[in-house]
Amino acid sequence: MKLRHSPTSPYVRKVLVCAAERGLSESIELVVTKTGDPESGLRAENPLDKVPTLIADDGMALYDSPVICEYLDHLPGGPTLFPPAGADRWQALRLQALADGLLDAALACIMESRRPEDERSAGFVRLQKGKISRSLDAISADLAALEGSLHIGIITVGCALGYLDLRFADDNWRQDHPALDAWYAGFSQRPSMMDTMPPA
């Protein structure tokens, strides 16, 4: 398999953590790809021109991270990360969606900060940061969902918190969420998280 990726993408990290937890890391060739570069060949594989994009052994291109992670979960490997049909599955998928939404808002803030200064919208940034704050509050209010067997929702939360550390360290999310901070301190020490730490 081939994974088109960017070293700092939290969605890519999510895929890499899933692969590591399932014992599939050695089966994936990493290809650093710059989105927006027409010479990269990414657009021919993913019309959205986004990473992560996984090219399966049969040539099928898969995107984005929820689809890729579920595909990896169906391959032979270690313990599965997507619970079977039932309440546990819905809980895991809901948590994944919440953490992915947090990341979407964080990425929107980053993209807004890269616009020319006279074109930036402070109101838009406030809106996105409100989403981040409410997501952190919701995750903190249900820490029990982060306990038990590892699943896709837990991994996505871990990668989302890691991205906040990378890009929004000055916002200090830990101050208002000490219990979540304590959980992340332990989770971030998993080998899969340590091995996928993005560059500073």
Side-chain angles (χ1 to χ4, degrees):
M1 293 179 286
K2 179 176 70 175
L3 182 70
R4 289 189 173 272
H5 79 108
S6 167
T8 58
S9 165
Y11 307 105
V12 168
R13 189 182 190 190
K14 174 179 154 184
V15 169
L16 294 176
V17 170
C18 286
E21 292 289 348
R22 301 220 62 241
L24 298 171
S25 298
E26 298 301 319
S27 301
I28 298 175
E29 174 191 355
L30 300 179
V31 180
V32 176
T33 302
K34 184 175 181 180
T35 60
D37 178 6
E39 301 301 317
S40 72
L42 176 60
R43 293 176 185 177
E45 296 168 340
N46 181 348
L48 298 173
D49 197 20
K50 295 171 65 175
V51 294
T53 296
L54 181 78
I55 310 304
D57 289 337
D58 64 2
M60 177 175 57
L62 294 169
Y63 40 84
D64 51 3
S65 65
V67 175
I68 296 171
C69 290
E70 190 155 9
Y71 176 78
L72 294 177
D73 206 51
H74 282 77
L75 298 178
T80 58
L81 302 171
F82 285 76
D88 288 347
R89 181 177 179 84
W90 297 124
Q91 173 76 335
L93 294 180
R94 184 177 75 114
L95 193 56
Q96 176 186 217
L98 179 60
D100 273 343
L102 186 161
L103 284 172
D104 291 344
L107 263 294
C109 289
I110 294 296
M111 297 308 294
E112 187 69 12
S113 73
R114 293 175 179 170
R115 288 161 56 88
E117 189 170 356
D118 61 346
E119 295 180 12
R120 298 175 196 166
S121 168
F124 178 80
V125 172
R126 283 194 300 273
L127 178 66
Q128 302 309 316
K129 289 200 171 184
K131 295 177 183 180
I132 295 171
S133 179
R134 291 190 301 274
S135 296
L136 290 170
D137 290 346
I139 295 167
S140 295
D142 189 18
L143 285 177
L146 301 177
E147 304 301 332
S149 299
L150 183 67
H151 59 65
I152 187 60
I154 294 172
I155 289 172
T156 311
V157 168
C159 292
L161 297 179
Y163 191 72
L164 293 182
D165 280 350
L166 178 69
R167 297 297 195 204
F168 297 89
D170 291 344
D171 289 355
N172 192 13
W173 63 267
R174 290 174 167 81
Q175 182 175 344
D176 294 329
H177 306 91
L180 186 57
D181 176 23
W183 173 84
Y184 181 66
F187 185 79
S188 63
Q189 296 304 305
R190 293 182 73 92
S192 62
M193 290 290 287
M194 296 289 289
D195 292 344
T196 58
M197 187 78 68

